[in-house]
């Protein structure tokens, strides 16, 4: 399917690559981009041939957050625009869809990730950053609070002390600091980003896909539940993971001393 603000491609591979495609604006988010991202993730969720998603940006930015040219035209004081309505119908479903996606999403962060663009990066499961990548909780600079899940995701990744530092000051941090703080999984030279992220995505795409989905679900559930609830939830999910063909294959491969061939079933 042809999109206007993103580029999605998957050729003879279980990895769907999604590129944000407004490079002149550092891939700032428009309403069309929000609709297209929601659509591409919805389609990927249902498409069994997709077993991992690689998200990156074209040009020198990953994503600069909400397009401020569009934001300037909006007049909330006239009742013509509601931040609440906008968020609950566009960004929020997108972030929820990413967190609930039963397949891994790998971000290849090629440049700046600012505002909601940083939230989108945080909504991914694995973050591989180029050395020149940077992160900005830009919201406060324009008098807004962090949205699109940043208040939930950021402290869970880097702790409350550092999350509040970034959110209150809006200061930019580089890839190495993000790595030291546990916000990204790896930092690689700019020229190696695509290759590294691609290999990572392919490795995850050959894993037991359904189980990866259950693992994501288990961790997100655990983030807001008691130990007793989590133990019960783990037992429920293990009940289904234990009935997958990939579980049988994993055991057989181990006992037969050969690499497993997981099919995602
Ligand atoms: C942009 C943008 C941009 C348009 C760079 N828009 N053009 C908000 C409102 C409503 C509802 C929902 O949620 C939200 C959530 C949010 O995301 S709020 C936060 C919005 N984002 C920002 O405030 C970030 C604004 N951008 C920046 O601070 C800088 O551009 C960063 C730090 C991202 C990058 O700085 P530089 O590397 O120095 O690049 P630059 O500033 O020169 O930008 C390059 C071009 O991209 C430039 O256009 P031009 O025509 O002059 O070359 C910028 O105007 C454009 N651009 N971000 N968000």
């Amino acid at each position: 399917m042809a999109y206007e603000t993103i580029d999605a491609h998957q050729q003879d591979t279980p990895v769907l690559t999604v590129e944000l495609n407004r490079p002149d604006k550092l891939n700032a988010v428009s309403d069309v981009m929000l609709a297209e991202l929601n659509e591409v993730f919805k389609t990927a969720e249902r498409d069994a041939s997709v077993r991992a998603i690689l998200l990156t940006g074209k040009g020198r930015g990953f994503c600069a957050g909400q397009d401020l040219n569009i934001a300037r035209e909006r007049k909330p004081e006239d009742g013509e625009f509601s931040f609440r309505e906008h968020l609950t119908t566009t960004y929020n479903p997108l972030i929820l869809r990413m967190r609930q996606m039963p397949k891994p999403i790998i971000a290849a962060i090629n440049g700046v990730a600012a505002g909601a663009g940083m939230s989108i990066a945080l909504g991914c499961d694995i973050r591989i950053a180029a050395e020149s990548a940077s992160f900005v909780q830009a919201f406060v600079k324009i008098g807004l609070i962090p949205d699109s899940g940043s208040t939930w995701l950021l402290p869970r990744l880097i702790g409350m002390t550092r999350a509040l530092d970034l959110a209150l000051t809006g200061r930019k941090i580089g890839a190495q600091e993000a790595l030291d703080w546990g916000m990204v999984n790896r930092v690689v030279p700019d020229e190696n980003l695509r290759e590294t992220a691609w290999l990572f995505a392919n490795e995850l795409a050959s894993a037991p896909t359904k189980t990866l989905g259950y693992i994501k679900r288990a961790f997100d559930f655990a983030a807001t539940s008691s130990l007793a609830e989590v133990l019960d939830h783990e037992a429920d999910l293990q009940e289904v993971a234990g009935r997958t063909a990939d579980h049988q294959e994993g055991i057989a491969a181990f006992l037969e001393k050969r690499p497993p061939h997981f099919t995602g079933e």
Side-chain angles (χ1 to χ4, degrees), residues 24-26 28 60 64-69 71 74 81 83 86-87 91 112 114-117 136 138-139 142 144 147-148 172:
D24 296 348
K25 292 177 180 291
L26 303 180
R60 73 174 179 90
Q66 171 66 40
D67 187 320
L68 297 181
N69 292 307
R74 292 170 170 159
F81 173 78
F83 281 87
H86 182 54
L87 284 169
Y91 285 97
V112 66
V136 198
F139 310 91
I142 54 167
L144 293 179
D147 63 23
S148 311
K172 188 194 271 189

